[in-house]
Amino acid sequence: MRSLLPAAFATLLAVIPASASEADAALIGELMAFHGSRAIVSVMTTHCYETTGLDPVYKQANDNWYLRNIGFLELADRVVARLGGNAEERQKAAETYGGTQIMSAYNQAADKSVFCRAFLEQVESGALDIDRQLPAVLARAQAIATQ
């Protein structure tokens, strides 16, 4: 599973459609990966919650991830707006792609229970936080926001 998640994040950056100036469009697409990350965590924690007999640890992990990352999500939205991008369509594409990729990884897992536990560990450890998964994009967004 560890090798699938970084690939999903990297691919997510490449599939999001662009407009505006080419450099701005590329950054807007990269910022939408923040929302793709949100979808990955939300979809998988919800799915594992439901398939483990409603184990509340998954809901708590999702809530904690969101609290740790909400500022990054809001930053991405502010920077996209500042760059003049219309993020709604791109955000939906990023969320759809992220959710699809994590469910595909789950469906390929030999042991679904082990997959859920490993995913939970990554969420709880912060390994899937935006600042750890997409640090370069985050730094660029922070630099733009402070200008």
Side-chain angles (χ1 to χ4, degrees):
M1 182 180 87
R2 286 190 187 271
S3 62
L4 292 173
L5 291 177
F9 283 110
T11 306
L12 182 60
L13 296 177
V15 299
I16 300 168
S19 65
S21 81
E22 204 168 304
D24 289 350
L27 179 56
I28 290 169
E30 291 171 345
L31 290 169
M32 288 301 105
F34 289 20
H35 291 287
S37 298
R38 170 72 185 130
I40 287 170
V41 171
S42 178
V43 165
M44 196 77 273
T45 55
T46 299
H47 186 73
C48 291
Y49 169 76
E50 292 170 353
T51 60
T52 59
L54 309 180
D55 185 343
V57 70
Y58 290 97
K59 279 198 175 274
Q60 187 65 49
N62 180 59
D63 292 346
N64 290 341
W65 184 96
Y66 184 76
L67 291 173
R68 290 191 309 267
N69 290 274
I70 183 61
F72 303 138
L73 295 166
E74 290 174 350
L75 171 67
D77 293 342
R78 286 192 315 270
V79 171
V80 167
R82 186 173 185 175
L83 295 174
N86 179 356
E88 186 175 327
E89 192 174 304
R90 289 188 194 116
Q91 182 176 335
K92 286 181 185 178
E95 290 168 348
T96 299
Y97 184 78
T100 301
Q101 290 301 301
I102 194 61
M103 285 308 299
S104 177
Y106 173 82
N107 289 332
Q108 293 174 22
D111 186 331
K112 310 296 194 242
S113 179
V114 169
F115 186 94
C116 281
R117 283 192 305 274
F119 187 83
L120 177 64
E121 287 174 20
Q122 288 190 345
V123 173
E124 289 181 328
S125 74
L128 298 181
D129 286 5
I130 291 168
D131 59 335
R132 292 188 53 196
Q133 286 292 318
L134 303 162
V137 179
L138 177 59
R140 288 173 49 208
Q142 291 168 327
I144 289 170
T146 60
Q147 292 176 355

